[in-house]
Amino acid sequence: NGSSAHPAYTEIVVVRHGETEWNADKRIQGHVDVDLNEVGRQQAALVADRLSRECKVSAVYSSDLKRAFDTAQAIADRCGSIEVIKEPGLRERHLGDLQGLSLSEAAKASPEAYEAFLSHKTSQEIPGGGESLDKLYERSTSSFQRIAAKHRGERVVVVSHGGTIRSLHKRACPSGRPAKILNTSVHIFHISDGDEWTIKSWGDVSHLNLKGFLESGFGGDRTSG
């Protein structure tokens, strides 16, 4: 089994992107390409520092949206100048007509889309080109599966978004409800040869506790974008 002590599974360290101005303003992002803010850049540096001190990372994958890619770039630079591989399947859910609105104005500005957003029906699409939860689940879990299959016995990092990470949790724990997913929180998955998904740890933000970066964390619940 060559260099690896664990050839039977892939360890994937999933990280949510750092904070953006829109997170801080509780504005719905979806596929809108918003930059990290100053807090987000500092969070990315802290999570990068932490991961660089843990086990060796063989690859870094990221959603192709800037807020995730820039977080991934910080991690890749600290973990030995690895090239970040862009994976569009790891993008946030497309939230249709709600994108760009703040949560407080969404109900008034686009009542139909807002109602669809709050629906518990997983097949419900959001008007304006938005995705259903089923579609998000399908693309994000298949993307994750491909990455796992390619890196058996290795440890890789995936940087993504709140909605996407909730879909991955659902695939591993179909009946569980994930705890809040804060900016740059770390979630560790083991994906075995037989495609069995196990969550080893969830929502770890110990790298932020020292710095008082935990106040905002908007977007960790199911109404995030």
Side-chain angles (χ1 to χ4, degrees), residues 54-217:
E54 295 176 359
C55 306
K56 180 182 175 296
V57 168
S58 356
V60 178
Y61 288 83
S62 171
S63 148
D64 58 347
L65 296 172
K66 280 195 299 246
R67 56 191 183 271
F69 185 78
D70 291 350
T71 304
Q73 192 67 64
I75 293 167
D77 289 349
R78 281 305 302 270
C79 291
S81 302
I82 304 165
E83 189 185 345
V84 179
I85 302 161
K86 285 186 181 179
E87 178 51 75
L90 297 170
R91 275 184 173 210
E92 182 56 284
R93 180 184 182 188
H94 193 302
L95 292 163
D97 289 339
L98 296 179
Q99 295 187 162
L101 300 176
S102 73
L103 269 180
S104 53
E105 66 197 20
K108 278 197 218 61
S110 204
E112 250 179 272
Y114 188 67
E115 206 173 305
F117 179 48
L118 294 183
S119 164
H120 288 283
K121 270 179 39 198
T122 56
S123 59
Q124 173 70 59
E125 292 185 350
I126 297 176
E131 289 174 288
S132 67
L133 286 168
D134 289 341
K135 178 132 187 263
L136 171 68
Y137 178 90
E138 185 45 52
R139 76 166 159 81
S140 57
T141 56
S142 56
S143 175
F144 205 65
Q145 245 153 343
R146 279 198 306 277
I147 292 168
K150 200 170 162 185
H151 293 280
R152 281 290 175 251
E154 298 176 332
R155 183 174 209 248
V156 300
V157 171
V158 156
V159 182
S160 192
H161 306 263
T164 315
I165 295 170
R166 274 194 298 284
S167 284
L168 301 176
H169 183 281
K170 187 178 176 185
R171 168 69 175 76
C173 298
S175 57
R177 287 186 69 83
K180 215 164 189 203
I181 300 165
L182 298 167
N183 291 113
T184 68
S185 51
V186 171
H187 317 268
I188 297 176
F189 288 74
H190 284 180
I191 316 291
S192 75
D193 267 352
D195 235 13
E196 198 176 306
W197 294 35
T198 316
I199 294 174
K200 286 295 167 190
S201 73
W202 186 263
D204 184 350
V205 281
S206 50
H207 49 286
L208 300 183
N209 286 345
L210 312 166
K211 302 282 181 172
F213 278 133
L214 286 175
E215 288 75 55
S216 68

